[in-house]
Amino acid sequence: MANYYCLMAGMPDIAMDEGDKCPVTLEDFREQCDEVLTEKDKGLLYYFYLKQDCLNVVRLLKASKTNEPTEDLSALGVELNPWCNYTMEQYQDLISAARTMNFNVHRYPSFISAFAREYNYNKEKEGWFAEDQMLLAYYDYAQGCPNRMISAWFKLNFNVTNIMTALIARKYGWNVSNFILGDNEVNEMIRTNNTKDFSLINELDYMVDIMKIVDTEDPVEKEKRIDAFKWNWLDEQTFMNIFSVEAVFAYLCKLEMLNRWEQLDPEKGKEAFRRVIENLRGEAKVPEEFVRPDIAARMKRN
């Protein structure tokens, strides 16, 4: 197991209670990681950046005008998130190949190619939301990461998202089953159990914490508490291995949280949350800016 003492010892301490000011940029940290991480460990960080690849592909497909393999995607003027693995040229290759029935499974995750290939067929279906379906496939893929802690991180995010979604839907009197995507033991209990905690308290040691967070009235404070919960989880997982690749991954996740809060003032946060609730009520699409690693936009069906 690689030891990244020099990298992590040189990083400033970060905390959520320091005005949400990020002392190091994601770009700087990524550059340092690229210089010192082994190729194997760089492959583990690939799972972190892959989420933005997925959403970038969705943005390009939505902006696409011809569905022709030769379409120049770079001419669409789509603003892509830079914290990803692939370049515009690679997105062009992926989508063009998918449109010609070539899945390119050896170059890109097959679920992304399959999504691109089937996009035009699915996009007109009632109740089908592109970001939802892509993120569902992404989290399923990411939970297969060969690193135990990183795999558990994605499983935690997936479960917390569904639990939060279910508790909010129940609070507003909606049918919980209609808002839950994916099949696993937790989701099955959410869909079939009518108890207050879906009988998950004995299954998940963090269920009580999530239920308390849902009861928070202020939407910005609710978001803060979700991130604080995840931040503490990362700390617990890396407490004994502060110079490991797991610690590098945890630091990257924390930087993303701080970076997001830097860009989101309280009023914008409240407005985003209000719009999500309105979208739930009106069966509308969740605004793109609210799609994030820990709150995937999946609360939109009846």
Side-chain angles (χ1 to χ4, degrees), residues 46 86 90 93-94 97 102-110 113:
Y46 167 88
Y86 301 122
Q90 289 171 313
D93 177 46
L94 186 158
N102 180 352
F103 274 53
N104 281 303
V105 292
H106 299 297
R107 281 181 282 176
Y108 311 107
S110 59
S113 294

Side-chain angles (χ1 to χ4, degrees), residues 87-99:
T87 64
M88 173 61 81
E89 290 73 20
Q90 289 171 313
Y91 292 139
Q92 179 81 54
D93 177 46
L94 186 158
I95 293 174
S96 296
R99 286 171 169 174

Side-chain angles (χ1 to χ4, degrees), residues 113-141:
S113 294
F115 181 93
R117 174 177 175 266
E118 298 165 3
Y119 175 77
N120 278 336
Y121 172 76
N122 289 319
K123 68 179 182 179
E124 301 300 333
K125 290 182 178 179
E126 183 178 357
W128 189 87
F129 298 94
E131 288 87 356
D132 291 7
Q133 296 301 323
M134 178 64 97
L135 289 176
L136 175 63
Y138 162 72
Y139 276 106
D140 183 63
Y141 179 86

Side-chain angles (χ1 to χ4, degrees), residues 35-281:
E35 292 176 0
V36 302
L37 263 62
T38 66
E39 290 303 314
K40 178 180 178 181
D41 288 344
K42 288 179 185 178
L44 296 177
L45 298 194
Y46 167 88
Y47 288 87
F48 174 89
Y49 297 113
L50 185 62
K51 177 178 181 290
Q52 294 306 326
D53 287 306
C54 292
L55 295 177
N56 283 342
V57 167
V58 171
R59 294 184 185 108
L60 288 168
L61 289 170
K62 284 188 170 184
S64 176
K65 302 181 186 307
T66 69
N67 194 40
E68 294 295 330
T70 57
E71 181 180 17
D72 182 6
L73 300 176
S74 64
L76 299 175
V78 176
E79 183 177 353
L80 302 178
N81 189 303
W83 311 118
C84 54
N85 295 296
Y86 301 122
T87 64
M88 173 61 81
E89 290 73 20
Q90 289 171 313
Y91 292 139
Q92 179 81 54
D93 177 46
L94 186 158
I95 293 174
S96 296
R99 286 171 169 174
T100 57
M101 307 289 284
N102 180 352
F103 274 53
N104 281 303
V105 292
H106 299 297
R107 281 181 282 176
Y108 311 107
S110 59
F111 77 89
I112 302 181
S113 294
F115 181 93
R117 174 177 175 266
E118 298 165 3
Y119 175 77
N120 278 336
Y121 172 76
N122 289 319
K123 68 179 182 179
E124 301 300 333
K125 290 182 178 179
E126 183 178 357
W128 189 87
F129 298 94
E131 288 87 356
D132 291 7
Q133 296 301 323
M134 178 64 97
L135 289 176
L136 175 63
Y138 162 72
Y139 276 106
D140 183 63
Y141 179 86
Q143 288 176 60
C145 175
N147 180 282
R148 182 179 300 177
M149 175 265 183
I150 296 175
S151 174
W153 166 252
F154 290 114
K155 183 177 182 179
L156 176 80
N157 278 267
F158 184 72
N159 284 341
V160 168
T161 296
N162 276 317
I163 292 168
M164 291 286 293
T165 299
L167 290 171
I168 292 172
R170 176 182 282 177
K171 180 179 180 179
Y172 286 94
W174 298 314
N175 187 332
V176 170
S177 297
N178 295 332
F179 295 90
I180 303 300
L181 292 179
D183 296 313
N184 63 14
E185 183 177 350
V186 170
N187 282 0
E188 182 62 22
M189 294 180 72
I190 290 174
R191 291 188 182 104
T192 60
N193 197 290
N194 293 321
T195 61
K196 182 178 181 180
D197 64 342
F198 305 107
S199 293
L200 287 171
I201 283 183
N202 293 328
E203 301 293 329
L204 303 175
D205 57 7
Y206 52 80
M207 185 63 189
V208 172
D209 294 328
I210 300 303
M211 293 176 70
K212 290 179 180 178
I213 292 172
V214 169
D215 289 336
T216 304
E217 293 298 327
D218 182 82
V220 176
E221 181 65 19
K222 189 194 300 277
E223 288 292 293
K224 286 276 191 175
R225 292 191 180 190
I226 293 170
D227 278 357
F229 162 77
K230 293 180 179 180
W231 190 292
N232 289 336
W233 187 92
L234 290 167
D235 282 343
E236 292 172 0
Q237 296 297 311
T238 57
F239 180 74
M240 299 298 293
N241 297 289
I242 59 175
F243 304 122
S244 63
V245 68
E246 289 85 358
V248 174
F249 182 88
Y251 197 89
L252 183 60
C253 293
K254 292 175 181 178
L255 284 180
E256 184 196 32
M257 293 184 206
L258 292 182
N259 183 72
R260 177 168 50 79
W261 282 107
E262 272 190 9
Q263 299 177 32
L264 187 67
D265 63 50
E267 286 307 311
K268 288 183 179 179
K270 290 179 181 179
E271 177 61 23
F273 190 84
R274 284 194 293 265
R275 287 161 62 189
V276 167
I277 295 300
E278 290 303 316
N279 286 331
L280 276 164
R281 290 174 177 152

